[in-house]
Amino acid sequence: MRIRPSHRRTAVVFLCGLLLFALARQLNHSLGAWGLSVWFGGLLVAFPALRLAPQQGFNTCFLLGLLLDATNPLPFGLLAFLFSVSHLVIVRLRSRLAASEVLIGIVVALITNLILYLIVTFTVLAGSPDAPFSGLRFLTDLIFSQLLLALLAPWFFALQEKALLIARVGLRDEPSATI
């Protein structure tokens, strides 16, 4: 049984996202001693939304959202929903962008990360009795996350492209991937 290239693209990008997820979890574990954490949700969404065919990117973003939902104390399905909506918005805008440029990918990842982080933060703070103190912590985490995301994004985009080439399902035969 052969797996179709479109399914392999989804699987490869999902596995790369799983790797970033695992690295971020380890980093958060290490940063916990200093009361810091990082959030890379926008980085998980940017590449599939900018470079994959719409259905493949949507499937990948939804699966990555479910992965994060399984490990967060948020209402289940919230992150899958937010990742899916983010993907749809970026896909609608990508015809106006140079989607294959790394700098554009970084900017899209930063903006998406900011929006997703704020939505998740306000969801968490809505039920918090000490919201002002928590808000300062979330702001510190956001700034730290954005700085690290900007540094890691080129590596992560290159990792995904190389993984797709190794799996022999590169982006070159995707008509909607090079807009």
Side-chain angles (χ1 to χ4, degrees):
M1 182 171 99
R2 285 193 55 165
I3 299 174
R4 293 181 18 202
S6 62
H7 296 312
R8 280 195 297 178
R9 280 186 194 92
T10 300
V12 167
V13 176
F14 174 78
L15 290 175
C16 290
L18 183 61
L19 174 66
L20 180 67
F21 169 76
L23 292 173
R25 297 272 300 192
Q26 290 300 315
L27 181 60
N28 282 335
H29 179 74
S30 299
L31 292 173
W34 291 289
L36 292 171
S37 65
V38 293
W39 166 259
F40 295 136
L43 189 55
L44 292 171
V45 173
F47 185 87
L50 289 172
R51 303 295 300 279
L52 296 181
Q55 185 63 50
Q56 295 166 17
F58 182 85
N59 293 343
T60 304
C61 291
F62 184 75
L63 290 173
L64 288 169
L66 287 178
L67 173 69
L68 268 67
D69 274 329
T71 61
N72 283 304
L74 298 168
F76 188 76
L78 177 66
L79 293 174
F81 173 75
L82 291 174
F83 279 26
S84 299
V85 169
S86 299
H87 172 269
L88 294 173
V89 169
I90 295 168
V91 165
R92 290 288 291 169
L93 296 174
R94 80 178 179 182
S95 64
R96 297 177 184 99
L97 305 171
S100 61
E101 295 293 325
V102 175
L103 185 59
I104 298 298
I106 293 170
V107 170
V108 168
L110 285 169
I111 292 170
T112 305
N113 199 61
L114 173 67
I115 293 168
L116 290 172
Y117 188 86
L118 290 175
I119 292 170
V120 169
T121 298
F122 288 130
T123 302
V124 170
L125 285 179
S128 176
D130 56 339
F133 179 72
S134 298
L136 184 59
R137 158 98 194 276
F138 286 125
L139 180 63
T140 305
D141 289 347
L142 173 64
I143 293 168
F144 190 61
S145 296
Q146 294 291 81
L147 290 173
L148 276 178
L149 187 145
L151 293 173
L152 287 176
W155 166 79
F156 190 60
F157 292 150
L159 172 76
Q160 292 175 91
E161 285 183 11
K162 188 67 169 178
L164 287 168
L165 288 175
I166 290 171
R168 298 182 186 174
V169 288
L171 296 170
R172 67 187 178 286
D173 60 325
E174 278 297 321
S176 63
T178 55
I179 296 176

